[in-house]
Amino acid sequence: MGTTATDGDAVILRNAAVRRGGRTIWSHGDFSIPRGTVTAIVGTNGAGKTTLLDAELGLVPLSSGTIEVLGRPAGQSNRRIGFVPQSYISGLDSTITARQSVVLGLTGTRFGIHFVTREERDRADEVLDFVGLTDKADYRLNELSGGLRQRAAIAQALVGGPELLLLDEPLANLDIASQRAVVELLARLNREWDMTIQVVAHDLNMLLPILTGAVYLLDGHPHYSSMNSVLDSKLLTHLYGTRVEVVTTPQGDMFVTPNMRLEPEGREQDTHDVHEAALFHHHDDESDNGEER
Ligand SMILES: Nc1ncnc2c1ncn2[C@@H]1O[C@H](COP(=O)(O)OP(=O)(O)OP(=O)(O)O)[C@@H](O)[C@H]1O
């Protein structure tokens, strides 16, 4: 929301827009995310959450504006960024061991013979220990549960010592205990390694205790907000197009709960009129030309 960028920011978008397949996915990205924060990226299917991560990695060109990551233009800091893609295993030979997969984070996934140095192996073991996989280091990836595979994926992203960790739906398809373990791991990373974290998520509930803010993709525009402001029932209802409630417990915990009294067709209407919806957007330049999204 047009925030003033500082050296303490990990990511800075200035009037950023992305086009893919001939159409604008999102535009007017104008915010900065401070270092040391844990940020959710939320929005409906196809809103462009993965595209935002791709843009930060410089993998998709911007159709306007700029993105700066760790003080440099997007794409130029990738060695200082750990990335956990949505389908980690599909890009890998699942018969390699957890340790081998982590070492790949240091040596690259290129083909050919690569001798692993003692140092590389020690570094891999250090990270495997941090994610709680020491006793599974020699298990093949296809022998691990989804939750443990996700931890191996995070270990691979961490092994190069990144300052920023990007995760694309790391909790998808995990049971609740495994989701908790991943969330606890992210909390420790943030707390003990001062890691700046961005995580694409559909369900905020599990992540709420560790989130400091969220980027929400709303009506084709990404916005950043600290957690207190994003957890607004009206905003979330507009964002998801269905009724969402925010509950503050006496302990101060907040939960986003879908309202179960849904209309017969299964969705409650977003009740915002166009003027109310406009209040969620605070662009300096509202010259969006109404392109199809
Ligand atoms: N390589 C591509 N070429 C053209 N269009 C693309 C490409 N990749 C993604 N898109 C389109 O960009 C839009 C945003 O996709 P993206 O994957 O970023 O959304 P998302 O919010 O992560 O969605 P989901 O919640 O379903 O994962 C979608 O309409 C998608 O079809």
Side-chain angles (χ1 to χ4, degrees):
M1 301 197 173
T3 47
T4 310
T6 72
D7 285 350
D9 290 323
V11 176
I12 303 169
L13 276 74
R14 291 193 182 95
N15 195 29
V18 170
R19 287 176 71 81
R20 279 190 136 158
R23 69 195 181 93
T24 299
I25 306 300
W26 44 255
S27 60
H28 293 304
D30 214 3
F31 57 83
S32 40
I33 303 177
R35 289 183 197 242
T37 51
V38 183
T39 306
I41 300 173
V42 296
T44 49
N45 285 126
K49 302 180 292 295
T50 302
T51 297
L52 176 59
L53 298 187
D54 288 345
E56 290 181 25
L57 290 164
L59 300 175
V60 289
L62 299 179
S63 53
S64 80
T66 59
I67 298 185
E68 209 177 279
V69 183
L70 302 175
R72 310 190 63 168
Q76 292 186 15
S77 296
N78 288 5
R79 290 164 65 93
R80 295 155 62 204
I81 302 174
F83 178 49
V84 181
Q86 203 165 354
S87 1
Y88 166 67
I89 196 90
S90 65
L92 275 181
D93 172 4
S94 64
T95 62
I96 64 173
T97 67
R99 181 185 288 108
Q100 286 168 332
S101 77
V102 174
V103 168
L104 282 177
L106 288 172
T107 61
T109 48
R110 63 180 181 271
F111 290 103
I113 297 171
H114 181 93
F115 295 102
V116 177
T117 65
R118 177 86 223 172
E119 235 177 11
E120 288 170 340
R121 195 188 146 100
D122 287 351
R123 172 64 183 159
D125 283 348
E126 186 188 340
V127 177
L128 281 162
D129 181 48
F130 188 85
V131 304
L133 280 184
T134 298
D135 59 337
K136 301 283 192 301
D138 294 315
Y139 281 51
R140 297 178 192 283
L141 292 178
N142 61 14
E143 293 170 335
L144 298 179
S145 67
L148 297 186
R149 271 207 303 270
Q150 190 59 269
R151 286 199 243 169
I154 294 171
Q156 190 192 63
L158 291 177
V159 74
E163 295 158 53
L164 170 65
L165 184 64
L166 308 179
L167 305 102
D168 199 346
E169 299 203 33
L171 306 183
N173 304 317
L174 299 187
D175 61 37
I176 290 178
S178 302
Q179 289 187 9
R180 280 213 179 101
V182 170
V183 171
E184 173 55 25
L185 173 57
L186 297 182
R188 282 174 47 229
L189 269 172
N190 177 247
R191 208 170 50 228
E192 295 172 25
W193 291 12
D194 201 25
M195 186 72 67
T196 306
I197 298 173
Q198 284 181 35
V199 44
V200 172
H202 272 290
D203 184 356
L204 287 185
N205 269 320
M206 201 54 97
L207 288 163
L208 280 179
I210 67 166
L211 291 179
T212 51
V215 172
Y216 50 99
L217 285 143
L218 186 65
D219 303 337
H221 310 298
H223 302 265
Y224 173 77
S225 180
S226 68
M227 221 45 213
N228 289 345
S229 329
V230 83
L231 280 178
D232 171 271
S233 303
K234 276 194 150 193
L235 189 148
L236 287 167
T237 296
H238 181 68
L239 177 64
Y240 287 107
T242 188
R243 182 93 167 244
V244 177
E245 288 178 357
V246 179
V247 178
T248 305
T249 71
Q251 292 77 31
D253 298 325
M254 294 197 275
F255 298 92
V256 180
T257 52
N259 189 314
M260 299 313 287
R261 292 170 279 120
L262 300 179
E263 288 188 342
E265 67 271 26
R267 286 172 78 82
E268 257 192 35
Q269 290 300 311
D270 171 5
T271 52
H272 292 88
D273 64 30
V274 72
H275 300 292
E276 277 185 300
L279 293 176
F280 294 126
H281 304 278
H282 300 279
H283 305 303
D284 297 333
D285 167 18
E286 279 295 350
S287 62
D288 193 12
N289 55 12
E291 285 171 296
E292 184 201 354
R293 279 182 201 101

